Amino acid sequence: MEVFDYKGICLKRDKRAIYLDPSSGRPDGAVSHGHSDHLRPKTHMTKPTKDVMIARTGSKDATTHNFNEKFKINDFELEFVSAGHVVGSAMINCEGVLYTGDYNPYGTVTAGVAKPQDCDTLIVESTYGKPNQILPDRNEVLSDLQAWIMATSAKEGAIIGAYSLGKAQEVIATANLGGVTPVVSDVVASVSDIYKKNGVRLEYNTYTELTEKEQQTAELLVTSTTAANGKKKDEAVQNMRRRGAKTARVSGWCAFSDWALRSVDAGFPVSDHSDFSGTMKFVEECNPKQVYTVHGSTKELAKEIRKQLGINAQPLPKYGQASIEKYN
Ligand SMILES: [Zn+2]
Ligand SMILES: [Zn+2]
């Protein structure tokens, strides 16, 4: 089997090929999860990912499969296994090749965990692929976040900005653990409803469905990052700001970048991606012969995998480039 970057991640054997997270919708493609840089219609996906696609794009065109259930595309045998990133997110197993998609080996409150799988070839994402990109302990940050929510929402009120698919649900679950039921934006509600449909317990109220009096007394608002930082005009945010509400951002980038802390009162570095040390451990436990890195700091991560683990590693080659791996 050959593996290279062509219209997505292309797996090719003889004259047949399949495409993982393809650049456009196609029936011989399989997608890992519902974030827009990965999601394409007319492909194979998990059922919750299809729900996300319907909510976000309106398209219903997909072939769905359960987790841990083998299926075939073009005579390739595939399987979706949990990626622990967002609802429905999958790593894709295909005959000795494992593609992580976006993955989180530390686990989430609301979307499971990515477990290492034995494989010959590992295609791993490199969002936090630089050796200094190590996140603080996830559970500790979540308990800090919970404490901030409980203290702030009871006083001046709290606004939290987070990605509406994945991070917002971790925030809602954390608030619920502290006994707080947040008010959420329409977009956050539509995605959170999919989590509930898939058995995740989340309690929240949608801002636009509240009475005016309830809107005036909301204690915690969970909304998109752009609405929370005032870049997008948003009635709910303005309402709470007028009452002196404090604003926080929940994003892995809060640990690494000044821009992530600009125009907010607090930042909590919770990520739905692996960090550098999580990835090194994950790669070691998958015990592959060859690693290809994709998305983000691909060169840096490949270099460290070669150096620290002694495993062949390089950024995923483009079609036609030398050093395409062959086996079988
Ligand atoms: Zn993602
Ligand atoms: Zn991504």
Side-chain angles (χ1 to χ4, degrees):
M1 185 147 36
E2 295 172 292
V3 182
F4 48 84
D5 174 0
Y6 178 69
K7 299 182 176 179
I9 295 168
C10 181
L11 274 49
K12 182 169 175 286
R13 184 174 53 214
D14 304 324
K15 291 217 156 53
R16 292 174 185 272
I18 55 167
Y19 299 83
L20 310 182
D21 286 347
S23 48
S24 59
R26 52 191 306 155
D28 53 2
V31 302
S32 58
H33 67 288
H35 280 144
S36 58
D37 50 333
H38 300 260
L39 182 65
R40 299 292 177 268
K42 303 185 178 71
T43 56
H44 296 255
M45 60 185 70
T46 65
K47 290 191 176 84
T49 298
K50 182 182 175 182
D51 290 338
V52 171
M53 183 173 77
I54 294 169
R56 301 192 122 190
T57 72
S59 169
K60 293 179 180 166
D61 200 350
T63 308
T64 60
H65 305 278
N66 293 322
F67 281 106
N68 308 308
E69 204 175 86
K70 296 206 160 51
F71 62 95
K72 286 204 164 179
I73 308 176
N74 270 350
D75 279 342
F76 289 83
E77 190 175 72
L78 295 95
E79 182 186 22
F80 289 130
V81 294
S82 173
H85 176 60
V86 299
V87 70
S89 66
M91 304 196 289
I92 305 174
N93 240 329
C94 178
E95 303 178 17
V97 177
L98 178 69
Y99 167 50
T100 62
D102 290 348
Y103 83 114
N104 179 355
Y106 298 109
T108 52
V109 186
T110 58
V113 60
K115 292 193 182 134
Q117 318 271 321
D118 266 330
C119 59
D120 296 320
T121 301
L122 175 66
I123 306 165
V124 65
E125 64 127 332
S126 324
T127 300
Y128 298 124
K130 294 179 184 161
N132 62 349
Q133 289 178 324
I134 295 174
L135 289 162
D137 181 85
R138 189 181 171 95
N139 290 327
E140 277 175 30
V141 181
L142 286 176
S143 56
D144 289 349
L145 172 64
Q146 187 183 325
W148 185 86
I149 287 172
M150 290 168 77
T152 314
S153 62
K155 278 188 277 173
E156 54 271 77
I159 303 166
I160 297 183
Y163 290 128
S164 57
L165 170 57
K167 204 62 60 60
Q169 290 72 36
E170 293 286 286
V171 173
I172 294 169
T174 302
N176 290 167
L177 278 173
V180 177
T181 302
V183 165
V184 304
S185 66
D186 287 350
V187 176
V188 170
S190 70
V191 177
S192 303
D193 289 348
I194 298 168
Y195 278 70
K196 275 171 57 170
K197 188 182 157 193
N198 284 280
V200 179
R201 281 177 58 184
L202 294 173
E203 293 206 31
Y204 49 86
N205 296 308
T206 308
Y207 181 84
T208 50
E209 291 171 2
L210 298 178
T211 64
E212 205 171 313
K213 184 160 173 271
E214 288 167 333
Q215 289 178 343
Q216 296 302 334
T217 53
E219 294 179 342
L220 169 64
L221 173 70
V222 180
T223 187
S224 69
T225 317
T226 44
N229 65 18
K231 284 214 174 102
K232 203 179 93 193
K233 199 160 165 276
D234 185 278
E235 188 203 304
V237 170
Q238 288 173 332
N239 224 329
M240 295 205 52
R241 281 253 170 101
R242 245 177 266 129
R243 286 156 40 208
K246 293 259 193 302
T247 306
R249 178 196 290 258
V250 178
S251 163
W253 293 107
C254 293
F256 311 123
S257 302
D258 292 340
W259 60 257
L261 296 170
R262 236 170 262 154
S263 69
V264 292
D265 301 299
F268 297 92
V270 178
S271 181
D272 297 335
H273 290 268
S274 184
D275 65 354
F276 177 77
S277 41
T279 290
M280 294 303 278
K281 186 161 177 277
F282 186 87
V283 172
E284 191 172 19
E285 289 177 359
C286 289
N287 196 24
K289 296 184 187 74
Q290 173 73 46
V291 177
Y292 294 119
T293 52
V294 292
H295 304 309
S297 306
T298 53
K299 280 189 188 138
E300 292 89 339
L301 180 61
K303 185 178 156 204
E304 294 302 319
I305 291 170
R306 290 195 304 269
K307 206 168 82 182
Q308 295 188 28
L309 302 177
I311 299 172
N312 282 335
Q314 63 173 95
L316 184 66
K318 294 223 185 304
Y319 179 55
Q321 270 180 355
S323 71
I324 285 173
E325 185 227 7
K326 286 192 171 75
Y327 63 92
N328 289 346

